[in-house]
Structures are given as C-alpha cells and as structure tokens.
Amino acid sequence: MTGQASDSTTGQASDSTTGHATDSTTGAVTVRVPAKVNVQLAVGAARPDGFHDLANVFLAVSLYDEVTATPAAGTKVTCEGPDADQVPLDRTNLAARAAGILAERAGLTPDVHLHIAKNIPVAGGMAGGSADGAAALVACDALWGLDTPMAELLDICAELGSDVPFSLVGGAALGTGRGEILTPVPAGAFHWVFAVADGGLSTPAVFREFDRLAAGHEIPAPQASPALLAALASGDPDALAPTLVNDLQPAALSLRPQLASVLAAGTAAGALAALVSGSGPTTAFLARDRAAAAGVAAVLDASGLCRATRVASSPAPGATLL
Ligand code: ATP
C-alpha cells in the first residue's frame, strides 16, 4: 500500500490518504460493526417477487461484532463467541460473500482469512450476519488498498441483503424499498436492554407467518410514522416509547409464544416500552436512562425467561476501522 506511515509504538501503519489502519506485523485489519434494532418496522403486502415493501426505521446500537481480515491463501472464515457454533464458516457466510463480491469487482482473488468475534446474537433479529458482511467489506477494502467509493460499497451491501447497507452506515436511518434504500434521520441518545432468546428465528419463516396471518386482510402501504421520527430526533424516551411498532411482532409471537412473557417481564421491571427486535426472537426494551436499563437487565437476568441480556445505547456508528 502506498502513502503509509508506520507507528513504531503500536505496530500500526496508517494510510495517510484514507485513514485506514493495518497491523504492520500481521497485515491484519479489524472492523467493528454494530447490531440494529428497528424502532419502526412497517410491513406491506408480499410483492410478486416475494419481498415485502417496508418502512423500516433502523437504529444502530452499541452491541458489536468485530471482523479481522488477514492475508491468506484462499478464503477462510473462523468465529469465536457464545453463538459461534451456529455461524456457518463456508462460502454462505455473509463475510465471505462480501469478500468474494469485492474481490471479483476488483479483479482479485479473495485471499483472506476473516475472523469474526461474535457478540451479536445469531438469527436474533439484530442483523448480525448483515453486520459481518458490511464489516468484511470495509476490512477487505482496506486490506487490499482499494479505497472503493462509498456508493459502490453500498451497492455491494444491497446485493448482499436488505439490512447490510444500514450496517455499513449505522446511526439512524429510514429504510424503504425492501429496506435497502436509506435516508439518514436525526436521533438523540437512548438506552436499551436486549433479552437474548435460546435459539434463533428464521427471518423468511417470520415473513411467511406474517403473510399467513395477513391473508384476507387489507395491508396498507408501509409509511414512516412522523410521530416516531419526531420522538427519535428529540431524544426523549417518554415520547419515543408509545411510538415504537413492529408489524412482524405478531408473527414472531405466533412462532414463539413464550416471548410474550419476556416482553411483559421487562415492562413490569420498568421498561418504558418493549418490542420484538426485527424478526426476533431477541426482545428490545427502552429504558429512561443507563441506570434504569441496568435495573431492567438485572430483573430479566434473574427471571430465567431469557438466555442473556445486553445493555446498549443508541445511536452507534456504522462499520468502523479500528
Ligand atoms: P436480520 O435481523 O437481518 O433478519 P438476524 O439477526 O435475524 O438477521 P443473522 O444473525 O444475520 O440473523 O443470521 C441469519 C442466518 O444467516 C444464520 O442462521 C446463518 O445461517 C446465516 N449467516 C450467514 N453469515 C452469518 C454471519 N456472519 N453471522 C451469523 N449468521 C450468518
């Protein structure tokens, strides 16, 4: 890579033009990437292509995976973390797919070892796989010195999946289309608790259940809620709480009825609002402040109704080189 200046104290080399950082001894690049919660998930009727039009207000939260890219012969994926055994390590892993698409566009072979330090629940409705796809893209772009324009990175993200563009940009955004057309929206700071369930829910299965429950009903075109967007911008949790809405929640509860007890327990513990995160089964609880969030998490931990809890804040930055 050209334009590098070595930092002998940290062993890091930074590219003066891009700000990209690599470890000069191993050539490793690490990218941190956030999970998301949908504060509004409005779902339209199934389209002829099987996708659903969405009005999807994404919020990135401070619950992160880290993806480290290192030069290797061929593509290799490894994963560590509590859910690591549920993560595919073959070419279906979104991190490997991201590296493959980027390499193909650049006329390279995807010779990279991608190591995922996984903290985002797997198949939990928090876009963990999408996050790793976005992180791998940014990591490989830096590792290979490509400096790909943001618009092209976003294009590759949309090819990888509906939630991947948001994982790249983070913050808060309205997603339209099937969720991949993003408009940033202003957001104040909020505090959250996430209750991680045992086992995941398949997003396509939750959408199928949505279609089954919707059969015979008129489904309005999805629209962003002005009240929710105003509350999000205000940073006032009491204003945001009554506006939170997830049209996939009835479908997730239908497939996993025990989630209703988790939602009720969090509300009884003082959460201002409780909802299923995306397609679930992770549940999200809005708290008044950091201390209130810790209190809700302690009650949920003691309840035995969930596998684990995580306290987080929003908004969080998108995929970031460390
Ligand atoms: P979303 O909220 O975007 O619908 P999710 O959080 O419910 O997604 P993911 O954690 O992204 O779900 O995992 C969904 C499936 O994707 C997993 O069951 C797994 O088979 C596959 N997958 C591919 N790559 C990854 C990855 N890097 N991490 C986790 N799962 C992955």
Side-chain angles (χ1 to χ4, degrees), residues 36 88 92-94 118 121-130 132 163 203 279:
K36 60 83 183 162
T92 65
N93 191 295
L94 278 170
K118 193 144 212 37
V122 175
M126 299 193 77
S130 302
D132 298 343
D163 288 349
T203 304
S279 54

Side-chain angles (χ1 to χ4, degrees), residues 65-236:
D65 280 357
E66 282 182 15
V67 175
T68 299
T70 317
T75 308
K76 178 183 170 193
V77 180
T78 53
C79 186
E80 66 175 80
D83 290 347
D85 60 335
Q86 296 162 51
V87 175
L89 301 179
D90 59 11
R91 288 191 169 272
T92 65
N93 191 295
L94 278 170
R97 288 190 51 216
I101 295 174
L102 184 68
E104 194 182 337
R105 287 196 180 209
L108 302 170
T109 47
D111 290 331
V112 63
H113 172 197
L114 297 162
H115 180 71
I116 303 169
K118 193 144 212 37
N119 195 33
I120 304 175
V122 175
M126 299 193 77
S130 302
D132 298 343
L137 200 56
V138 174
C140 290
D141 183 64
L143 185 70
W144 298 333
L146 298 175
D147 220 358
T148 308
M150 187 62 168
E152 197 176 334
L153 291 178
L154 282 169
D155 218 39
I156 299 173
C157 287
E159 188 177 335
L160 285 166
S162 306
D163 288 349
V164 187
F166 180 72
S167 299
L168 183 69
V169 299
L174 170 64
T176 52
R178 56 186 167 84
E180 84 287 14
I181 304 164
L182 295 177
T183 310
V185 297
F190 294 99
H191 296 275
W192 301 90
V193 178
F194 295 95
V196 183
D198 267 324
L201 268 179
S202 143
T203 304
V206 175
F207 273 101
R208 277 196 300 274
E209 184 66 359
F210 173 88
D211 292 339
R212 194 184 69 79
L213 295 174
H217 299 276
E218 188 69 30
I219 306 294
Q223 281 187 329
S225 151
L228 178 133
L229 293 174
L232 194 61
S234 76
D236 177 358

